[in-house]
Amino acid sequence: MQTNLYKSLLILIFIGFSPLMSNATTLDSNNSFVNNKLFSKNTVFALFQQEEGQEQKKEENNENSEQETVEIPKDSTTILTDIVDRYAEESIITNRRTNITTLYNKAKIQYQDITIEAGKIIINNNTNEITATGIFIDSLGYTQAPIFKQGSEESVQDSIIFNFDTKAALIFNTSSDRDGILTYSERTKKVNDSTYYAKNLRATTSKKKNPDYYIKVYNAKVIPGKKIIAGLTNLVIADVPTPVFIPFAYIPLTQERSSGIIIPTWGDSNQQGYFFQNGGYYFAINDYLDLTLLGDIYTNGSWGFRAQSNYVVRYKFRGNFSFDYENLKTSLKGLSDYTEATNYNIRWSHSQDQKSSPNSRFSASVNLGSSQYYRQSLNELNNNNFLMNTLSSSISYYRKFVGTPFNMTASLTQNQNTNTEAISLTLPALQINMDQIFPFEPKSGSKTNALHKLGVTYSFRGENRINTTDEFFFKKEMWDDAKFGIQQDVNIKTNMKVLNYFTFSPRASYKEVWYFDEIQKTYDPTLNEVTTDTIKGFTSFREYSAGASLSTKVYGTFRFKKGKIKAIRHTITPTISYTYRPDFSFYNETVQTNNNPVIYDEYSPFQNGIFGSPSTSLSNSIGISVNNNVEAKVASKNPDEEDKKITLLNNLSMSTSYNIAADSLRWSPLSMNAGTNFFDNKVTLNMNATFDPYAINVDGRRIDKFNIDNGGSLFRLTGAGLNTSFSLSSDMFNPENKSPKNSQENFNDPDGLFGGNLNTSNQIFDEEEEEEEDNEKKVDLYNSKIPWRLSINYSFNYSKPGREANTNNTLQFNGDIELTPKWGVGFSSGYDFENKGFSYTQLRFSRDLDSWKFNFNWVPFGTNRTYYFFIGVKSSVLSDLKYDKNQPPERIF
């Protein structure tokens, strides 16, 4: 903790001088350390009370003097160069013999850009020095403490001695609030505009009258804009000095970002031994770009390296890039459980400001690397990537051609399966789309007939697709099986009213595919086998289809004379469609399969193409679908408000099709889907099922015989699923009781069901600044009102295509509860009913310590078992004033 504290202490030393430097702000004396009775003012003001007594005696001895003029002492060599404005509400007294003026009660003087306000101000016109103090009032205590202003500088102190000519000052018990840091200096000496000295400087971010902690600097010298030299510095918690000391410090000052060392976090692991993580150096390259280099080292020889960079150009674009590389060893070399793994990961995110170029856009979201990176890394704990088995990346450029219906998208994409280590890339993909145009649209007026509504769309798509694995990624072998193809689609559709109640929608489509190689199969009589060769050259095929649909809507309304429900409306949308697609098997070729010359197999020369091969069977099918929607009208509690419409059933749809051209199994399985929401969309429920009208044989294959004719039911259930999710919170039952703040918010997780991401970086937290409160935060006891939040997701899937059934039955839950106004507990877990075990589980504990923050995140079991402990100051200025420790996950390679 002492090393992490070093940077924070140095920052506070500089902030301590802020009352006499630019951008300082005033802090009311009621909140100063002085009134907190951390310091005594009696000693400070004894000097000024003694001086006032001596002046009063001199005035009494000379009050009868008849001299009308006073000679200025011969040793006075200073002359003011501007007018001094003076004001006091009660009295302004000038002693002509001593040439000293006293202003009393709400006194104020102004000279050039300098303004001093205080209860009492003494002006020595001989030396051009002023002494400003407050006033002691028995009932109110010490009031009207001096306020010093020079340009944009402003500070409050118990007393000040200031020279107008030299601009030197001696300040006692000054306090200020700058950037959320409260500072107090027992004695500050301003030699000139470039040199300051301070004694017993104290600083904190706590807004309490009795602060939780402060940092004490015994002696310091500062040269604004250049450097700080400080002596002994100590951290004090709850008025108790801690053993955390820094004997001396030197730090350069700059108003801009500066490069510097990043202190690592530390810990120990059963498999890698002791370690340091995330230590390195930060480079502030310029206002638009930075670079962070971090490293990890473990006592068993493991190591890691990371490079991170952020960039931004205001009103144009922003982004970040990172590269991680780890060489991880388990146990010690020579032992039976010794393993070694090398992993890497590349992440890049780029976004463009929409205002910079409305008609073009460049974006990037890259996450690629070793398939085992998120499962083996000791310094990366992204729950989503750890639990999921896919990674994806995309880099795209979009361009809208103004004045035309065309737009273009060029992209590079990557999809990676971390289980099979298979990687699919498109390098690149080019797509040109034409927005729907209406060639016969009238120049004026609306579209009134089918010809006017005739719309045409066109798309061009070209891809260079590569399928490879981790083994050959970024190697020349991955290009060996690259496939390139171009596909063009034209679609035409329109619609018209039939018999006033039906909508008739005819459509037609055309597809053309270009390839630059094809396969050729030949029979080798010597080997008695079929060989396959790839023939380079341009080749293509074309497909077309046509169809039409007829749909309508049927409404049924049921009205109620009593009760809150006034009416229920049932909407039925039946649709019947027809599709015709010819048989394109004439593109196929045949090959002899053995030494019998009359036995042939049919194959498509395009079967390895990225856009598939032509259809080989005639499709002449009729589709039938029915969709249902049920809504209710409920009377409002307030008679002045309109009735409320709620949805009882979002959809209940059924669909199937009949292929007239098929010689068997003409009916497709009946598909059903249903979904609805409850309790103001807080609970969602979705169900699906698939029913097959045909029976199966002993091998589990479909046969051309209806299931009911085979001794079974009308339909055979082949699949079903149910998914429901809902969120409950305390404010649902008591609107006055607010839900708790999510205890995982500091862990940066986009999906709460998996819990918060646990990044072991020492810059994980980006806390909000402590609330601007002058007094200690007041909270009420919760009693029986304890804020809580619970999210649940239940999923059930059943599949039985043949004679064996498979089921999947899981429950996931996530919640937070505030046991007290400052204690929070969170949890994320799940249960697999089939395998009878808990899934990934995470427990979270947080404690609001006012100016400090405590967090403990724990994964108690599994291959990702780990913990992370953190306690530190909330303020981002003091991000290094903390103690944190983590246990790397016990990975199983």
Side-chain angles (χ1 to χ4, degrees):
M1 182 174 179
Q2 189 165 350
T3 54
N4 285 344
L5 182 61
Y6 181 79
K7 179 180 177 183
S8 299
L9 297 183
L10 299 181
I11 293 173
L12 285 170
I13 294 170
F14 171 63
I15 294 174
F17 295 95
S18 61
L20 295 177
M21 289 186 252
S22 62
N23 300 325
T25 56
T26 304
L27 178 69
D28 190 278
S29 59
N30 292 332
N31 282 337
S32 68
F33 285 97
V34 176
N35 292 328
N36 294 338
K37 299 181 181 179
L38 293 177
F39 302 97
S40 173
K41 299 187 293 290
N42 296 333
T43 304
V44 177
F45 286 96
L47 173 64
F48 300 107
Q49 292 172 351
Q50 181 180 1
E51 181 182 350
E52 292 175 19
Q54 293 175 354
E55 292 177 358
Q56 185 175 0
K57 289 181 181 180
K58 290 181 180 180
E59 292 178 6
E60 292 175 355
N61 294 334
N62 295 281
E63 62 181 348
N64 296 323
S65 175
E66 296 182 356
Q67 291 183 351
E68 296 182 359
T69 59
V70 178
E71 280 190 23
I72 298 176
K74 296 181 179 180
D75 58 351
S76 178
T77 59
T78 58
I79 300 176
L80 295 178
T81 61
D82 207 342
I83 298 175
V84 178
D85 292 329
R86 304 176 299 175
Y87 171 82
E89 186 172 291
E90 186 167 327
S91 63
I92 299 178
I93 301 174
T94 301
N95 187 320
R96 296 184 177 182
R97 180 176 295 278
T98 59
N99 205 17
I100 293 177
T101 302
T102 303
L103 291 73
Y104 188 80
N105 194 8
K106 295 184 179 179
K108 178 180 179 180
I109 66 170
Q110 185 168 355
Y111 175 73
Q112 295 178 347
D113 65 337
I114 298 172
T115 301
I116 299 177
E117 299 176 7
K120 183 177 181 180
I121 298 177
I122 300 173
I123 306 175
N124 189 330
N125 296 301
N126 301 313
T127 60
N128 289 335
E129 287 184 352
I130 69 163
T131 301
T133 65
I135 300 175
F136 283 103
I137 300 176
D138 292 340
S139 60
L140 300 177
Y142 187 67
T143 63
Q144 299 186 41
I147 300 176
F148 178 87
K149 301 177 182 178
Q150 184 175 11
S152 60
E153 301 175 10
E154 183 174 335
S155 62
V156 178
Q157 45 272 319
D158 285 349
S159 59
I160 182 173
I161 301 174
F162 182 78
N163 187 290
F164 282 116
D165 293 323
T166 64
K167 304 295 177 68
L170 184 62
I171 307 168
F172 296 88
N173 298 338
T174 182
S175 59
S176 69
D177 188 357
R178 184 188 183 193
D179 297 330
I181 305 296
L182 177 67
T183 60
Y184 174 83
S185 178
E186 184 176 320
R187 184 170 179 174
T188 302
K189 183 178 180 181
K190 176 185 176 184
V191 178
N192 49 51
D193 289 339
S194 62
T195 305
Y196 298 82
Y197 294 93
K199 182 177 181 181
N200 292 335
L201 173 70
R202 305 190 178 199
T204 183
T205 59
S206 177
K207 305 299 181 182
K208 296 180 179 179
K209 290 183 178 180
N210 187 21
D212 297 328
Y213 78 102
Y214 58 86
I215 296 175
K216 184 175 182 180
V217 181
Y218 290 89
N219 293 286
K221 175 183 177 180
V222 60
I223 300 177
K226 293 185 178 180
K227 59 186 176 181
I228 290 177
I229 302 173
L232 187 64
T233 302
N234 179 224
L235 173 64
V236 180
I237 300 178
D239 293 334
V240 178
T242 67
V244 180
F245 283 90
I246 295 179
F248 61 89
Y250 173 88
I251 183 171
L253 300 180
T254 177
Q255 299 297 326
E256 302 176 350
R257 294 183 305 165
S258 59
S259 304
I261 297 174
I262 298 176
I263 306 299
T265 57
W266 61 276
D268 63 273
S269 168
N270 293 334
Q271 296 177 335
Q272 283 76 36
Y274 294 98
F275 63 82
F276 287 101
Q277 286 183 339
N278 302 303
Y281 200 84
Y282 173 79
F283 296 90
I285 299 174
N286 53 44
D287 293 338
Y288 310 101
L289 179 67
D290 68 2
L291 176 64
T292 303
L293 300 179
L294 301 173
D296 309 330
I297 187 169
Y298 304 81
T299 53
N300 79 329
S302 300
W303 59 275
F305 169 79
R306 269 171 307 288
Q308 303 171 356
S309 180
N310 298 282
Y311 58 89
V312 58
V313 177
R314 185 174 296 181
Y315 308 123
K316 290 188 177 181
F317 57 82
R318 65 174 58 245
N320 58 77
F321 176 86
S322 68
F323 172 75
D324 296 11
Y325 185 89
E326 292 185 356
N327 182 273
L328 302 178
K329 301 175 182 178
T330 303
S331 186
L332 297 175
K333 195 170 185 178
L335 298 180
S336 59
D337 59 346
Y338 174 81
T339 59
E340 185 172 353
T342 299
N343 293 297
Y344 68 92
N345 182 259
I346 299 173
R347 277 169 286 187
W348 179 30
S349 176
H350 178 94
S351 61
Q352 179 180 307
D353 193 319
Q354 294 182 355
K355 299 177 182 178
S356 64
S357 181
N359 298 313
S360 64
R361 182 174 60 254
F362 178 80
S363 62
S365 177
V366 175
N367 184 7
L368 61 88
S370 304
S371 294
Q372 299 302 314
Y373 173 77
Y374 287 101
R375 299 178 182 178
Q376 296 182 350
S377 174
L378 301 179
N379 201 11
E380 175 64 53
L381 293 168
N382 185 297
N383 292 330
N384 288 325
N385 291 325
F386 169 74
L387 296 172
M388 298 294 186
N389 59 2
T390 58
L391 299 177
S392 60
S393 303
S394 174
I395 302 173
S396 65
Y397 174 76
Y398 168 83
R399 177 76 179 181
K400 171 69 176 177
F401 298 99
V402 180
T404 72
F406 293 96
N407 62 76
M408 179 196 71
T409 302
S411 63
L412 308 175
T413 62
Q414 169 258 350
N415 290 283
Q416 184 173 355
N417 188 310
T418 57
N419 285 337
T420 63
E421 298 188 357
I423 302 174
S424 176
L425 305 102
T426 56
L427 302 174
L430 176 66
Q431 185 159 345
I432 299 175
N433 295 318
M434 183 185 74
D435 299 333
Q436 189 175 27
I437 61 173
F438 300 90
F440 306 103
E441 180 181 11
K443 295 183 178 179
S444 61
S446 59
K447 306 180 186 71
T448 58
N449 55 51
L451 188 62
H452 292 166
K453 298 177 183 179
L454 183 67
V456 181
T457 60
Y458 168 79
S459 66
F460 172 95
R461 183 181 179 187
E463 285 188 12
N464 181 48
R465 191 174 299 175
I466 300 171
N467 293 313
T468 185
T469 62
D470 270 15
E471 181 182 0
F472 301 113
F473 195 44
F474 286 141
K475 297 179 181 179
K476 63 180 183 64
E477 288 87 353
M478 84 175 196
W479 301 95
D480 293 343
D481 296 325
K483 301 291 183 180
F484 182 73
I486 294 175
Q487 177 176 309
Q488 301 179 78
D489 292 277
V490 178
N491 293 281
I492 303 173
K493 64 179 180 178
T494 186
N495 64 82
M496 65 190 76
K497 285 289 184 180
V498 178
L499 302 176
N500 293 328
Y501 299 105
F502 297 91
T503 301
F504 181 66
S505 303
R507 64 186 183 278
S509 63
Y510 173 83
K511 180 176 73 172
E512 183 168 334
V513 177
W514 298 350
Y515 290 136
F516 297 89
D517 59 38
E518 63 179 0
I519 65 169
Q520 186 180 69
K521 294 185 177 183
T522 56
Y523 173 70
D524 188 341
T526 305
L527 300 176
N528 193 26
E529 63 180 21
V530 177
T531 60
T532 302
D533 297 318
T534 300
I535 307 301
K536 299 294 183 181
F538 177 80
T539 183
S540 63
F541 69 87
R542 281 150 288 279
E543 284 186 341
Y544 50 86
S545 64
S549 65
L550 185 69
S551 65
T552 187
K553 287 184 181 292
V554 180
Y555 298 94
T557 303
F558 305 90
R559 303 187 184 277
F560 300 90
K561 296 181 179 181
K562 297 181 180 180
K564 292 184 178 181
I565 300 178
K566 289 189 173 183
I568 293 178
R569 186 175 72 171
H570 180 199
T571 305
I572 305 174
T573 308
T575 302
I576 183 169
S577 61
Y578 173 75
T579 302
Y580 177 81
R581 187 189 64 225
D583 182 3
F584 295 97
S585 60
F586 58 83
Y587 285 106
N588 292 349
E589 297 180 3
T590 58
V591 60
Q592 181 181 338
T593 58
N594 53 41
N595 53 14
N596 189 341
V598 298
I599 300 179
Y600 290 89
D601 272 351
E602 190 175 284
Y603 73 95
S604 172
F606 309 105
Q607 65 185 33
N608 289 340
I610 60 176
F611 298 121
S613 54
S615 303
T616 57
S617 61
L618 173 66
S619 177
N620 188 15
S621 63
I622 299 174
I624 303 171
S625 67
V626 179
N627 187 58
N628 297 267
N629 177 270
V630 182
E631 296 175 319
K633 183 180 288 187
V634 181
S636 175
K637 295 181 180 179
N638 188 347
D640 297 332
E641 295 181 357
E642 296 182 356
D643 296 336
K644 185 179 181 181
K645 186 173 68 173
I646 61 174
T647 301
L648 301 180
L649 185 65
N650 283 342
N651 72 85
L652 172 59
S653 62
M654 295 173 285
S655 62
T656 186
S657 63
Y658 182 80
N659 191 347
I660 303 173
D663 55 358
S664 62
L665 303 173
R666 293 180 176 179
W667 286 99
S668 67
L670 175 66
S671 199
M672 296 184 62
N673 290 278
T676 188
N677 298 323
F678 302 101
F679 307 113
D680 292 333
N681 298 325
K682 292 182 173 63
V683 179
T684 62
L685 177 65
N686 293 286
M687 298 174 288
N688 64 80
T690 305
F691 301 93
D692 196 338
Y694 293 105
I696 56 176
N697 59 18
V698 293
D699 296 327
R701 296 182 179 180
R702 297 176 72 199
I703 59 176
D704 191 20
K705 186 176 185 180
F706 289 114
N707 195 55
I708 192 172
D709 296 335
N710 198 41
S713 57
L714 179 62
F715 291 100
R716 182 171 52 87
L717 180 66
T718 59
L722 183 148
N723 182 277
T724 181
S725 62
F726 58 89
S727 296
L728 301 175
S729 62
S730 53
D731 59 357
M732 294 175 58
F733 305 95
N734 183 4
E736 297 180 357
N737 192 17
K738 296 182 179 180
S739 296
K741 185 181 290 187
N742 194 338
S743 65
Q744 65 185 335
E745 62 182 356
N746 295 324
F747 297 92
N748 233 0
D749 180 34
D751 190 343
L753 288 175
F754 295 140
N757 293 334
L758 182 58
N759 191 328
T760 58
S761 171
N762 60 355
Q763 297 184 7
I764 176 176
F765 293 99
D766 186 15
E767 299 287 354
E768 295 181 356
E769 294 291 339
E770 187 179 5
E771 296 181 358
E772 297 288 340
E773 296 182 1
D774 293 334
N775 300 319
E776 183 177 354
K777 181 180 179 182
K778 295 181 180 180
V779 294
D780 297 327
L781 294 177
Y782 278 145
N783 296 329
S784 60
K785 299 178 181 179
I786 299 179
W788 56 272
R789 179 191 63 82
L790 178 65
S791 298
I792 295 178
N793 182 283
Y794 174 75
S795 177
F796 174 82
N797 290 286
Y798 170 84
S799 175
K800 191 179 180 181
R803 295 195 173 276
E804 294 184 2
N806 297 314
T807 59
N808 190 327
N809 192 2
T810 60
L811 175 71
Q812 289 181 309
F813 49 89
N814 173 285
D816 295 278
I817 182 171
E818 286 189 7
L819 301 177
T820 70
K822 296 186 178 182
W823 262 111
V825 177
F827 55 90
S828 303
S829 187
Y831 189 79
D832 188 334
F833 293 95
E834 293 298 322
N835 297 319
K836 301 187 184 303
F838 284 94
S839 60
Y840 178 81
T841 300
Q842 183 186 93
L843 302 176
R844 303 178 296 275
F845 305 89
S846 65
R847 169 71 175 173
D848 185 355
L849 300 170
D850 296 328
S851 55
W852 292 66
K853 179 76 174 180
F854 158 79
N855 280 287
F856 180 68
N857 188 293
W858 182 32
V859 179
F861 52 80
T863 59
N864 208 35
R865 180 170 54 185
T866 183
Y867 72 83
Y868 184 81
F869 175 86
F870 171 90
I871 184 170
V873 174
K874 290 181 180 179
S875 173
S876 60
V877 179
L878 302 180
S879 59
D880 286 320
L881 184 52
K882 65 174 184 176
Y883 174 84
D884 59 346
K885 191 175 188 300
N886 73 84
Q887 171 67 49
E890 298 181 3
R891 306 294 197 187
I892 299 177
F893 298 161

